[in-house]
Amino acid sequence: MLERVLILIAALVVSLILVIKSADIFVDNLVDLGSSLGISEVILGVTASAIGTSLPEFGSALIASLSGSTDIGVGCVIGSNIWNIAGILGISALVAGVIETNADGLKRDFSATLITGLILLFFMFMGDIGRLAAVSMVLLYSVYLWRLIKAQKSYSDENSDDTRREPLDLKKLALTVAGFTGLVIGCRILVYSGVELADIAGIPAMIMGLFTLAIGTSIPELVVTLSSAVKGLHELSIGTVLGSNTFNILIGIGVPALITPVPVEPLSLSFDAPVMILVTVLLVLLIRQGNMKLKRSGGVILLAVYISYVVMRLFVLA
């Protein structure tokens, strides 16, 4: 048993290094590619970066549903969304000092994140999340993507005179794919070793989903968001988190619910989902209070909220 634990810890450390390095490569080359193709930074954040970094959550939720462990899947999505805002943006603002954004992008992407959270809460009130809810979620994500395409078209029209597109750099494309592949492989090892260690420690399935899997599968968002914030790519940083949260709910829960109904745990309905919505609103209030900037003080507040949530969930309400 001790030997197995040591191997899992070693795998955890190696995979973490792989994820951090891969994220660095992914961010640098994704931004260069986007610039050469005339794609705005915020659109890159809420599409390519958000969807790419959310695949571990989506895969975990889908596999959990197919294997009958739906508590893990739902817990992973809700826990991940809380961690993305309160934990990841909190840490990123704390380290980078400030994360800036613009009113238009914040309004569009915050609205999408908040509305999808409220939609999830509504369907949870109705009982198990079935096929009707699942179809609605997938269609809503299609509408959101359509809005993003319109926003990109407007950006391209406004910057048509200023933006000189360059030929597609195959080397940067290959490095972007390599960085993303490294993220997927590293996260898969990271999540596997984390879940195995949690299982050895006897952690319940819902708690494993809310914390162990949620934080583990969100490591791509953490390293991409933190790396973007430190490099001054603030809109990519904010866009990755908000776009990821929207994708997590509408696709991360919607697609598995197309296959099999997703049951709703009472405590998730009464506590976890409302906390997810609360931190989303808190993020926007902090950004608006900081004149469209999430300052270091705001990061501290978000982290304090996340720590309070963890304490309440694990020790008071468990």
Side-chain angles (χ1 to χ4, degrees), residues 135-152:
V135 170
S136 302
M137 288 179 172
V138 173
L139 286 176
L140 280 169
Y141 192 74
S142 301
V143 172
Y144 177 57
L145 284 181
W146 174 72
R147 286 191 65 198
L148 291 177
I149 291 168
K150 283 187 65 178
Q152 174 56 38

Side-chain angles (χ1 to χ4, degrees), residues 65-252:
S65 294
L66 289 173
S67 62
S69 303
T70 45
D71 277 357
I72 292 179
V74 175
C76 180
V77 168
I78 295 176
S80 178
N81 280 15
I82 296 170
W83 165 249
N84 282 353
I85 291 178
I88 291 177
L89 284 179
I91 291 170
S92 298
L94 196 61
V95 174
V98 66
I99 301 176
E100 300 180 34
T101 188
N102 65 72
D104 291 338
L106 182 67
K107 182 180 178 181
R108 181 191 62 238
D109 302 320
F110 159 71
S111 297
T113 304
L114 180 61
I115 289 169
T116 53
L118 292 171
I119 287 169
L120 175 62
L121 191 60
F122 170 76
F123 284 132
M124 289 173 75
F125 269 118
M126 302 295 286
D128 291 355
I129 300 173
R131 283 193 175 87
L132 179 60
V135 170
S136 302
M137 288 179 172
V138 173
L139 286 176
L140 280 169
Y141 192 74
S142 301
V143 172
Y144 177 57
L145 284 181
W146 174 72
R147 286 191 65 198
L148 291 177
I149 291 168
K150 283 187 65 178
Q152 174 56 38
K153 187 176 183 302
S154 298
Y155 174 85
S156 299
D157 291 343
E158 291 170 7
N159 295 274
S160 57
D161 296 331
D162 304 326
T163 306
R164 200 167 92 192
R165 297 189 183 184
E166 303 170 6
L168 184 64
D169 189 327
L170 294 179
K171 181 182 178 182
K172 290 190 181 299
L173 178 61
L175 286 171
T176 303
V177 173
F180 177 69
T181 303
L183 272 174
V184 172
I185 294 171
C187 283
R188 182 68 191 90
I189 298 169
L190 191 70
V191 170
Y192 171 78
S193 52
V195 169
E196 288 296 306
L197 286 169
D199 192 43
I200 291 171
I203 297 175
M206 189 64 188
I207 297 299
M208 191 184 298
L210 277 169
F211 300 105
T212 311
L213 260 180
I215 294 175
T217 55
S218 291
I219 283 181
E221 284 97 327
L222 172 60
V223 288
V224 168
T225 302
L226 181 57
S227 178
S228 301
V230 170
K231 293 173 188 289
L233 304 170
H234 298 143
E235 289 185 352
L236 180 63
S237 184
I238 291 277
T240 297
V241 166
L242 294 180
S244 175
N245 279 19
T246 301
F247 180 88
N248 284 348
I249 291 174
L250 297 182
I251 301 299

